[in-house]
Amino acid sequence: MSDSESEVAAAVEPTEIPMPLSDLANEILDTQPANSSSTLSFPPIATAPVLYVYSIGAMTVTDSGLTIKDGFGRNIPLTLASGDGSGENFYSGTTQSGKKVNVHLVSSEPEAPLQDPESLWQPGDPIDEVPVNGEAHETEVEVTPALLASSQMKPLLAVATTDDAMTVATPAGVNVNQVLTYDSTLQVAQPASQVSHAGGSITMSRADGNTALGVELEDENGASTLTVPIATPAAAKKNNWTEIYYTTFIAPKFVNAKLCRLSSMDHVTMYHNGNNRSWKSLSNGSAYASYKTVAGVKVDWARRKMYNIAKVGISKGYDHNYRFTRQKQASAKGIKFSKQKQTSTYANVEIKHAIGNPLCNAAGAISHTTNIKMYRSGLVKVISLRVRVPNHEVYARTNLKGSWTNLDRLSGTSFYCLTFPCGRQGMNKSRMLPIR
């Protein structure tokens, strides 16, 4: 490129190019490239628009790598800055006009369908009990996960940034429904401007992506919103631990035990204990205070170790005057961890959870099947399928300190759903955790 061309390129990154309203509508809203796999939603055009030529443009993600172009369609050479081909990889490059480009490529294992949680337990199944001791039966087991090879990972999402622009891209077969930004209260606000490219990538102003950014993806498993990490290798390495806890609890102080009285011939116990609380405050030191069950995972990134945590609360009975009558303790063996795998930046675990009430033979178990994916940069993703009772909540944090980030809360329905099928409820959530 000549000196004069360089001067022109530098002068127009980014540049506002006025366009007639009709031309812009054709360019952005009506014309979708034939090979594009994205369906995009845009805010209505309220004022005379302009088309931005950003410092970065289209990006393509495939199993063999990624390519990115500048706003004028010229290739930007990329160099691997950090990563081993699995989990998270960071690339760097420079546009012809001198803009530094950073790319974060997120990969994961292909997701297998979750087992139906109602198949894990049937009313009347024997409950493994343990002697009542303290407030809960719990286990914490250190495991060495299987190491994943880069060939077992598939690209999920790429994020490219300069100081003024951002491009997000997904591989073929994953559609980008829309790109969302969030304010400090996590209320959705559309970006002010965004440009779609062939192949499914989207470019927007960096100002629109400086807050938490979400990309709503859709594949054969349905739609999910993924919080896009704006991460660097240095920031990721500051995170030595990621921990996540999936907790179930019963909000009222007491629940009616009518169905259980009929099955156990116990006509004295009229109520069972609940947890007498609402959703947890994120400022609390413990993510699992006051619960019926807890399934937790801690990842030690430096040593490539995992810790599986299972906790089960005591079941207590009360008479019609709410006076204590009896108690029993279910074992934590109904919380099973499998598919523990890890790389230097990625960890995966699957949980099969079925814990019954030892005071009630007629009821089924508190059940869910859950897949958890964690990245050292702070990104966590939870996919779960549950029986619709009781309340379920998921919290996570980094470096074993600081406040917890809530991933999701699912309210319970009738306790008859433990015995009579009421349908399952799914969860598909991801968040970018702050590294504390």
Side-chain angles (χ1 to χ4, degrees), residues 13 42 77 117 177 195 236 322 360 382 418:
E13 287 196 30
F42 295 91
N177 285 344
V195 179
Y322 300 99
C360 187
V382 176
L418 293 179

Side-chain angles (χ1 to χ4, degrees), residues 61-214:
V61 180
T62 66
D63 289 349
S64 58
L66 61 89
T67 58
I68 185 170
K69 300 179 181 297
D70 66 12
F72 297 96
R74 301 170 299 200
N75 285 330
I76 302 174
L78 295 176
T79 301
L80 180 65
S82 178
D84 57 7
S86 63
E88 295 178 303
N89 292 281
F90 296 87
Y91 300 85
S92 61
T94 305
T95 68
Q96 292 188 30
S97 59
K99 287 278 189 181
K100 291 185 177 179
V101 182
N102 295 309
V103 181
H104 184 192
L105 178 63
V106 180
S107 300
S108 71
E109 302 171 83
E111 295 171 1
L114 294 173
Q115 183 176 348
D116 186 340
E118 289 190 349
S119 69
L120 301 177
W121 188 281
Q122 298 297 325
D125 285 354
I127 297 176
D128 187 9
E129 296 181 38
V130 295
V132 176
N133 182 18
E135 284 301 314
H137 178 233
E138 60 184 76
T139 63
E140 181 168 332
V141 178
E142 179 180 345
V143 297
T144 302
L147 296 180
L148 278 165
S150 58
S151 60
Q152 297 173 270
M153 308 290 286
K154 301 296 181 183
L156 178 65
L157 186 73
V159 184
T161 57
T162 63
D163 59 0
D164 66 338
M166 171 184 296
T167 296
V168 295
T170 55
V174 180
N175 296 326
V176 180
N177 285 344
Q178 56 186 340
V179 179
L180 311 170
T181 57
Y182 304 87
D183 62 21
S184 59
T185 61
L186 293 181
Q187 298 299 309
V188 173
Q190 283 280 19
S193 57
Q194 53 186 23
V195 179
S196 62
H197 308 285
S201 65
I202 299 172
T203 299
M204 68 202 73
S205 166
R206 179 66 184 269
D208 297 324
N210 275 337
T211 55
L213 182 70

Side-chain angles (χ1 to χ4, degrees), residues 364-426:
I366 298 174
S367 301
H368 65 84
T369 56
T370 300
N371 179 263
I372 299 174
K373 300 181 186 301
M374 293 164 280
Y375 296 83
R376 191 166 185 174
S377 65
L379 177 65
V380 294
K381 184 178 183 182
V382 176
I383 302 173
S384 185
L385 193 63
R386 71 150 188 168
V387 173
R388 302 174 66 94
V389 66
N391 287 6
H392 291 221
E393 58 186 358
V394 184
Y395 294 92
R397 68 178 179 179
T398 59
N399 280 328
L400 306 181
K401 62 182 180 181
S403 299
W404 295 87
T405 296
N406 172 246
L407 272 72
D408 208 359
R409 294 167 171 167
L410 302 178
S411 297
T413 55
S414 168
F415 281 92
Y416 284 100
C417 292
L418 293 179
T419 304
F420 306 104
C422 297
R424 274 76 68 202
Q425 184 178 24

Side-chain angles (χ1 to χ4, degrees), residues 140-141 143 145 241-246 288 294-301 305-310 335-338 340-342 347-351 370-374 380 395-397 400 404:
E140 181 168 332
V141 178
V143 297
W241 290 84
T242 297
E243 57 181 331
I244 185 166
Y245 291 90
Y246 190 126
Y288 45 81
V294 175
V297 179
K298 294 191 296 186
V299 176
D300 181 341
W301 293 109
K305 294 281 188 178
M306 272 190 196
Y307 295 83
N308 298 332
I309 298 98
I335 303 175
K336 297 179 172 63
F337 301 85
S338 62
Q340 291 120 319
K341 302 173 184 177
Q342 190 176 358
N348 178 87
V349 64
E350 189 161 293
I351 300 170
T370 300
N371 179 263
I372 299 174
K373 300 181 186 301
M374 293 164 280
V380 294
Y395 294 92
R397 68 178 179 179
L400 306 181
W404 295 87

